[in-house]
């Protein structure tokens, strides 16, 4: 497969770009931030996502979706990133759907209609500490009746407060650090014993601290096999990480564009500052880093779509590289805006904040760089 | 089986059956490169391999057959290179003719010029060098002064070139000369001539690596005929419009040099962990070095994806014409960083300049050579200038 978007993907890109720019633009983001919305995103917009078919990108055609792949999901995510569109797309339609795709038909039948109609929101309850360490999951799921009892705490559950369903990773055997013994559950948030405390993040998105105090779920809630959740988790993480890399890429590209635009207009010393070589070289360097990051993201998505055995390595490369390039983009962006870059009025700072939150989501650059070293055996 | 799959099978079978064992050993240093030419120095297996590949047109697999190429499609060429890489088979022939002059002739040459010059390049019979830079014209190449006076049936060349790689070993030169002194860019011509001509002199320049791959080249009243036969002009493209040819060729040169960014061992870390030592968890036993190695792994894999994307978009005419400048910049900067790391992993052992153990200071010499990557073919600063002006459309001062 050539490493650029085909005609169908380009059409999707055009419609996603128009949609986000029109309906989910930075003004929309500011509106929801300023009214201190408890969900941090618009449910009406989420419905429109569904009408556009976006929520069904990874759902098979048989099950009412579009039956497309990670490349297409990435196309939408990049536009989300570029426009800072607040939505639960990444957690619900990408990572959430991919987890459910690894499960049985009954679960999919139960959850997909709500996702396809834009009524449902999924969130991922994985991390238990301040840093993403899925191999260190300790939360316990013990057998109880014909189901399981969940006890423990999760944090950084993005959109956790608005979600009607949580994808929860817990231990049915073994202890933190073991390869086996993980199980994934789909848990309705209305169930007893579950409490959620939503907090606003630096990027104005909402994330919940979730406490499970003897939460009872029946065996139908298990996604995949008991004790074999590692494989489901991996599939979900691959989709989520590639998706997060795509959204990050959009944030970086958006920040670069507004910065280059700004320095083309701003005059100091009687000169357009964009004509100073000191700034030109840094923006050209940034452009080159962003282009390279773009290649890794597309490559990772194509490899996931092809089912390549080396996809995981490329997903980590993409998350790390997109993270690095975008971090550079937002930092250079604020600096090159000068004083106004520090103001709330200018958008560049919003990009910096979104980048910081996305960087932590599903593993930061260091985490993935370390994974690449491990995958190489050193 | 699809056509491409059967092409792959046949290719593998042919490579396995025909490639001499010596050509399946990793190259040790620059002296293992096969350059061909009129006065060649071949190491064992090199000539046999070059001739066999040339007979199939596979020294230049994607050139048309009538010019000595293999006539392969892009997909087939990719497969051939992939399989050669997988089988660790060396390139049969390296040459400025293949990398630079060939593409320029294919684009700008007359049919007669193509038929005259390209097949000998493909067969490795003529070794070419590049006469661009002059002492006063480096980054500002278009300011070049070497003059070519029109003398009716021939041009009279006077002037000096510098940094001419392998000029002392080359048979012919593709040379930029000034045919009009009244304008800058529109007074340059792209000429081809024989280095054995009377009045051509070369003088090697010793580099910091101790090697002398390039030369100062002097031209004193060199007579270059206007044609080498019917339709075979010594000037490529139009007289005074050589700058267009030069720029096109530089695009190829830059893409080629940028390839260094993705070459070499995929994983520096896994290569060096055994040599450097591992801790009880099997990790490279210096956490700082391990982190740098892993970062390098990421950057190399990322650049490889970029190189693939660049190749795909370039062929499909989907990339910005200034994209090779970005590739050149990014690829060469990565390659320099990689060699810094290799030196740092090697410690004191790789400082040995003349010992047997260090194979004559191979690692150190290789490290020093990479410093030229961001200078040759246009400096990194110049690449950034082009990207910021042509791609990002930033204004002139
Ligand atoms: C938090 C904060 C507090 C401040 N407090 C005060 C205060 O108390 N009193 C006060 O008077 N001011 C204050 N300032 C203003 C501050 O001094 C200016 O923001 C600063 O001088 C930069 O000017 P500028 O914002 O107009 O950026 P610009 O001059 O527009 O610069 C934009 C970008 O272009 C670059 N640039 C500009 N010229 C060149 C050049 N020739 N070559 C290369 N690059 C160039 C800059 O480095 C910058 O990256 C404050 C600013 C901030 C952010
Ligand atoms: C290993 C090697 C092989 C080579 N092979 C060949 C060959 O085969 N044939 C050939 O013709 N030439 C060859 N060259 C020459 C090469 O193309 C030139 O060295 C190169 O173009 C730079 O020119 P210069 O050395 O004159 O540097 P200068 O142009 O003098 O540059 C000096 C410094 O100033 C910077 N600079 C210059 N202009 C600007 C600007 N506008 N903005 C910002 N910075 C600027 C440069 O980036 C550089 O850092 C080779 C060079 C090397 C090192």
């Amino acid at each position: 497969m050539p490493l650029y978007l085909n005609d169908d993907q380009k059409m999707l890109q055009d419609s996603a770009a128009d949609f986000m720019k029109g309906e989910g633009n930075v003004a929309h983001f500011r509106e929801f931030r300023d009214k201190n919305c408890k969900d941090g995103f618009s449910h009406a917009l989420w419905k429109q996502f569904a009408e556009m078919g976006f929520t069904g990108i990874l759902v098979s055609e048989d099950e009412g979706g579009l039956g497309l792949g990670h490349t297409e999901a990435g196309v939408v995510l990049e536009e989300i990133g570029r426009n800072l569109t607040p939505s639960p797309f990444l957690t619900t339609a990408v990572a959430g759907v991919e987890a459910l795709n690894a499960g049985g038909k009954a679960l999919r039948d139960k959850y997909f209609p709500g996702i396809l109609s834009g009524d449902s929101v999924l969130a991922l309850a994985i991390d238990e500490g301040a840093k993403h360490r899925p191999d260190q999951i300790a939360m316990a799921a013990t057998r109880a009746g014909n189901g399981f009892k969940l006890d423990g705490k999760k944090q950084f559950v993005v959109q956790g407060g608005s979600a009607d369903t949580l994808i929860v990773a817990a231990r049915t055997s073994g202890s933190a650090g073991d390869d086996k013994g993980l199980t994934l559950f789909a848990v309705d948030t209305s169930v007893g014993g579950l409490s959620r405390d939503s907090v606003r993040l630096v990027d104005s998105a909402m994330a919940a601290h979730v406490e499970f105090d003897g939460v009872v779920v029946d065996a139908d809630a298990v996604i995949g096999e008991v004790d074999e959740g590692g494989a489901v988790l991996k599939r979900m993480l691959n989709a989520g990480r590639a998706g997060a890399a795509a959204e990050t890429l959009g944030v970086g590209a958006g920040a670069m564009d507004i910065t280059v635009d700004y320095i083309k207009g701003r005059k100091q010393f009687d000169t357009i500052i964009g004509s100073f070589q000191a700034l030109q070289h840094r923006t050209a360097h940034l452009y080159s880093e962003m282009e390279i990051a773009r290649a890794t993201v597309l490559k990772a998505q194509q490899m996931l779509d092809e089912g390549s055995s080396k996809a995981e390595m490329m997903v980590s490369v993409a998350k790390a590289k997109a993270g690095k390039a975008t971090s550079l983009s937002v930092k250079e962006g604020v600096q090159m805006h000068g004083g106004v870059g520090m103001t709330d009025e200018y958008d560049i700072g919003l990009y910096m904040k979104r980048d910081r939150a996305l960087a932590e989501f599903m593993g930061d650059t260091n985490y993935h760089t370390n994974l690449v070293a491990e995958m190489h055996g050193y | 089986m699809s056509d491409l799959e059967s092409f792959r099978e046949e290719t593998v079978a042919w490579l396995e059956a025909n490639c001499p064992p010596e050509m399946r050993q990793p190259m040790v240093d620059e002296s293992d490169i096969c350059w061909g030419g009129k006065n060649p120095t071949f190491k064992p297996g090199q000539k046999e391999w070059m001739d066999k590949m040339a007979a199939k047109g596979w020294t230049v697999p994607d050139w048309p057959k009538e010019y000595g190429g293999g006539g392969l499609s892009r997909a087939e060429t990719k497969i051939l290179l992939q399989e050669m890489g997988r089988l660790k088979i060396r390139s049969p022939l390296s040459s400025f003719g293949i990398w630079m002059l060939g593409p320029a002739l294919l684009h700008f040459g007359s049919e007669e010029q193509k038929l005259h010059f390209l097949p000998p390049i493909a067969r490795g019979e003529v070794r070419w060098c590049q006469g661009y830079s002059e002492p006063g014209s480096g980054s500002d190449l278009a300011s070049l002064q070497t003059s070519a006076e029109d003398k009716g049936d021939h041009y009279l060349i006077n002037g000096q070139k510098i940094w001419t790689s392998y000029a002392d070993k080359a048979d012919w030169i593709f040379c930029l000369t000034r045919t009009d002194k009244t304008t800058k860019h529109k007074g340059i011509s792209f000429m081809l001539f024989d280095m054995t001509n009377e009045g051509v002199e070369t003088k090697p320049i010793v580099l910091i690596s101790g090697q002398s791959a390039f030369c100062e080249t002097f031209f004193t009243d060199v007579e270059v005929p206007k044609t080498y036969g019917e339709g075979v002009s010594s000037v490529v493209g139009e007289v005074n419009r050589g700058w267009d040819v030069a720029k096109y060729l530089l695009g190829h040169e830059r893409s080629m040099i940028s390839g260094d960014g993705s070459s070499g061992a995929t994983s520096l870390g896994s290569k060096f962990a055994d040599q450097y030592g591992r801790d009880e968890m099997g990790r490279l036993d210096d956490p700082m070095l391990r982190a740098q190695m892993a970062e390098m792994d990421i950057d190399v894999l990322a650049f490889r994806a970029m190189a693939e994307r660049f190749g795909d978009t370039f062929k499909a005419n989907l990339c910005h014409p200034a994209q090779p400048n970005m590739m050149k910049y990014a690829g060469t900067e990565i390659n320099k960083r990689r060699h810094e790391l290799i030196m740092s992993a090697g410690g004191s052992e790789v400082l040995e300049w003349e010992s047997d153990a260090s194979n004559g200071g191979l690692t150190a010499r290789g490290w020093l050579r990479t410093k030229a990557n961001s200078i040759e073919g246009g400096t990194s600063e110049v690449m950034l200038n082009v990207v910021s002006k042509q791609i990002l459309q930033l204004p002139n001062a």
Side-chain angles (χ1 to χ4, degrees):
Chain A
M1 210 181 307
L3 210 49
Y4 50 80
L5 299 180
N6 65 30
D7 289 343
D8 289 341
Q9 290 161 343
K10 262 196 237 128
M11 267 167 60
L12 174 69
Q13 186 181 42
D14 288 343
S15 65
D18 285 349
F19 177 76
M20 301 306 160
K21 215 167 162 182
E23 308 296 326
N25 53 31
V26 184
H28 169 94
F29 168 79
R30 287 180 179 276
E31 183 194 333
F32 273 78
R33 179 192 72 164
D34 294 345
K35 70 183 179 200
N36 209 12
C37 164
K38 75 167 176 46
D39 288 342
F41 70 92
S42 152
H43 287 275
L45 184 69
W46 185 228
K47 278 274 198 193
Q48 282 177 277
F49 263 71
E51 282 158 25
M52 295 289 291
F54 296 155
T55 60
I57 282 182
L58 290 179
V59 174
S60 73
E61 283 182 284
D62 288 349
E63 293 168 312
L66 298 181
L68 298 171
H70 299 280
T71 309
E72 287 81 5
V75 162
V76 173
L77 279 160
E78 185 182 340
E79 297 310 320
I80 289 176
R82 194 187 298 277
N83 293 282
L84 304 181
T85 314
S87 83
F89 182 77
L90 179 55
T91 58
T92 305
V94 181
V97 165
E98 192 64 1
L100 292 169
N101 275 334
K105 185 162 178 351
L107 273 180
R108 298 201 299 275
D109 285 347
K110 179 174 173 191
Y111 292 110
F112 280 176
I115 295 171
L116 289 171
S117 66
D119 290 310
S120 202
V121 170
L122 269 55
L124 318 170
I126 306 164
D127 293 337
E128 297 174 4
K131 296 301 278 187
H132 177 68
R133 294 288 179 267
D135 54 328
Q136 295 300 321
I137 290 168
M139 181 176 148
T142 41
R143 295 234 179 227
N146 83 333
F148 295 85
K149 190 163 71 71
L150 308 178
D151 288 283
K153 287 182 187 171
K154 294 283 184 182
Q155 71 184 60
F156 197 36
V157 182
V158 177
Q159 316 290 13
S162 345
D164 39 72
T165 304
L166 297 179
I167 310 285
V168 183
R171 288 218 155 267
T172 34
S173 67
S175 52
D178 290 351
D179 281 350
K180 292 217 169 198
L182 279 182
T183 304
L184 261 69
F185 300 91
V187 180
D188 292 337
T189 49
S190 56
V191 69
L194 191 147
S195 57
R196 294 179 283 171
D197 178 17
S198 268
V199 291
R200 193 170 295 285
L201 303 179
V202 65
D203 65 340
S204 302
M206 300 299 288
H209 293 273
V210 184
E211 226 180 302
F212 300 80
D213 183 9
V215 170
V216 176
V217 295
D218 62 29
D220 295 347
V222 172
I223 309 175
E225 306 291 326
V226 174
D227 276 353
E228 303 294 332
V232 187
L233 180 63
K234 193 166 268 187
R235 181 167 171 181
M236 176 174 88
L237 289 178
N238 276 335
R241 288 164 175 173
E247 187 174 342
T248 303
L249 182 75
V251 172
M256 179 176 81
D257 288 350
I258 58 177
T259 302
V260 170
D261 234 40
Y262 183 77
I263 65 172
K264 276 179 188 168
R266 171 77 173 167
K267 255 188 167 176
Q268 288 291 282
F269 307 102
D270 283 333
T271 318
I272 302 278
I273 60 173
S275 68
F276 295 131
Q277 199 177 56
L279 301 190
Q280 290 185 344
H281 281 192
R282 279 156 49 192
T283 44
H285 169 72
L286 170 60
Y287 164 81
S288 123
E289 291 296 294
M290 288 305 304
E291 281 294 290
I292 295 171
R294 174 175 304 284
T296 65
V297 170
L298 192 52
K299 183 81 192 165
Q301 288 158 341
Q302 286 188 356
M303 287 172 85
L304 281 178
D305 287 335
E306 287 161 5
S308 160
S309 60
K310 293 193 186 122
E312 212 176 324
M313 171 93 80
M314 209 59 209
V315 167
S316 279
V317 170
K319 183 73 168 73
K321 190 72 202 179
K324 244 165 117 175
T326 296
S327 156
L328 180 71
S329 179
V330 297
K331 284 183 259 188
E332 287 285 50
V334 168
Q335 176 65 20
M336 291 190 198
H337 272 72
V340 296
M342 295 299 296
T343 64
D344 185 67
E345 184 190 340
Y346 276 75
D347 292 338
I348 187 68
L350 304 176
Y351 283 82
M352 177 173 266
K353 293 190 269 188
R354 173 64 57 83
D355 167 60
R356 191 78 277 286
L358 273 171
E360 292 302 323
F361 188 71
M362 293 199 165
D364 65 6
T365 295
N366 288 343
Y367 176 83
H368 287 287
T369 306
N370 181 55
L371 273 191
V372 166
E374 282 180 358
M375 285 186 253
H376 276 133
Y378 69 96
Chain B
M1 206 189 314
S2 78
D3 286 354
L4 283 181
E5 282 167 47
S6 51
F7 175 79
R8 189 184 292 274
E9 271 192 9
E10 287 159 22
T11 301
V12 170
W14 188 86
L15 290 171
E16 295 267 24
N18 287 282
C19 183
E22 296 92 339
M23 294 297 106
R24 301 182 62 167
Q25 314 293 324
M27 293 216 198
V28 176
D29 61 25
E30 286 199 24
S31 77
D32 282 333
I33 300 173
C34 174
W35 293 98
K38 290 204 169 100
N39 306 298
T41 43
F42 289 115
K43 290 195 170 179
Q46 280 187 335
K47 174 145 177 48
E48 181 195 347
W49 184 224
M50 181 182 85
D51 289 346
K52 277 190 169 158
M53 286 289 272
K56 281 184 89 76
W58 283 5
T59 52
V60 281
D62 57 350
W63 288 10
K65 283 195 165 143
E66 58 270 36
Y67 310 134
L72 300 189
S73 68
R74 170 155 172 77
E76 288 168 335
T77 305
K78 221 169 166 176
I79 289 175
L80 172 62
L81 296 178
Q82 268 171 4
E83 292 304 327
M84 284 176 66
R86 204 174 53 79
L87 297 169
K88 304 204 164 46
I89 291 177
R90 290 189 200 170
S91 165
L93 177 63
S94 296
S95 91
F96 288 17
I98 293 177
W99 298 325
M100 302 187 214
L101 179 60
L105 276 174
L106 284 169
H107 196 82
F108 291 95
S110 68
E111 184 60 23
E112 291 87 350
Q113 279 177 322
K114 292 182 201 174
L115 289 169
H116 185 81
F117 291 112
L118 293 176
I121 291 176
R123 291 192 297 263
E125 289 165 0
V126 176
R127 185 167 175 179
W128 288 83
C129 67
Q130 178 186 30
Y132 273 31
S133 306
E134 298 181 9
S137 306
S139 297
D140 185 15
L141 183 60
S143 67
L144 61 91
Q145 295 300 324
T146 293
S147 68
E149 257 180 280
D150 190 335
K151 295 281 184 188
D153 66 336
H154 69 272
Y155 295 100
L156 193 67
I157 318 276
N158 277 290
Q160 186 197 337
K161 295 285 170 183
I162 194 169
W163 313 126
T164 334
S165 301
Y166 303 109
D168 52 342
K169 305 208 168 61
D171 307 308
W172 278 60
I173 187 167
F174 47 97
C175 188
L176 295 180
T177 60
R178 183 155 295 288
T179 34
D180 182 349
K181 292 189 172 149
T182 59
T183 75
K184 192 171 176 182
H185 292 85
K186 296 224 165 113
I188 293 171
S189 296
F190 189 99
M191 289 185 180
L192 313 177
F193 56 87
D194 196 324
M195 292 292 279
T196 60
N197 266 325
E198 185 115 10
V200 177
E201 264 180 285
T202 61
K203 197 170 132 214
I205 304 170
V206 179
L207 300 186
I208 50 178
S209 65
Q211 282 148 356
S212 52
F214 33 45
C215 299
E216 290 180 276
T217 307
F218 303 91
F219 307 122
T220 319
D221 289 334
V222 179
E223 289 184 19
V224 172
K226 281 196 172 162
T227 69
Y228 300 112
E230 184 98 35
V232 189
S233 167
S234 58
V235 171
V236 181
E238 286 172 48
V239 174
N240 289 333
R241 299 310 301 267
W243 188 244
D244 300 337
V245 186
K247 271 197 313 190
Y248 180 85
L249 185 149
L250 278 175
H252 278 268
E253 179 177 8
R254 285 166 186 170
S255 315
M256 190 268 294
I257 298 173
S258 79
D260 291 343
S262 52
S263 66
T266 309
S267 174
L268 267 193
S270 54
K271 187 168 164 223
F272 282 107
D274 297 325
Q275 180 181 326
Y276 199 88
R278 292 171 187 267
D279 65 12
E280 63 284 0
M281 288 175 74
R283 297 185 166 182
L284 199 153
D285 202 10
D286 172 339
M288 298 302 284
L289 186 62
R290 176 175 184 271
Q292 290 174 333
M293 292 281 182
E295 227 176 295
M296 183 44 57
D297 276 353
I298 298 263
D299 282 341
V300 169
L301 287 169
F303 190 77
R304 273 201 191 156
M306 182 67 224
E308 184 182 341
R309 179 167 154 81
F310 172 67
D312 290 345
T313 52
F314 187 81
K315 291 283 166 181
N317 245 329
L318 290 169
C319 76
H320 191 285
Q323 195 75 358
N325 297 277
M326 174 249 139
M327 291 296 292
K328 203 260 170 189
Y329 165 69
T332 56
E333 295 296 332
I334 289 179
N335 201 40
K336 284 196 300 179
R337 252 176 63 217
R338 187 169 60 214
H339 282 261
E340 289 292 340
L341 270 180
I342 291 172
M343 287 302 285
S344 147
S348 65
E349 282 171 19
V350 295
L351 300 178
E352 293 182 14
W353 190 246
E354 277 163 355
S355 68
D356 286 344
S358 70
N359 199 350
L362 197 65
T363 305
R365 289 175 205 270
W367 159 67
L368 288 165
R369 174 63 181 83
T370 61
K371 297 304 176 199
N373 293 166
S374 51
I375 300 171
E376 59 195 319
T379 65
S380 283
E381 288 74 23
V382 169
M383 298 305 109
L384 292 173
N385 284 349
V386 175
V387 170
S388 58
K389 298 266 165 37
Q390 292 181 23
I391 300 183
L392 300 176
Q393 307 260 303
L394 288 168
N396 287 316

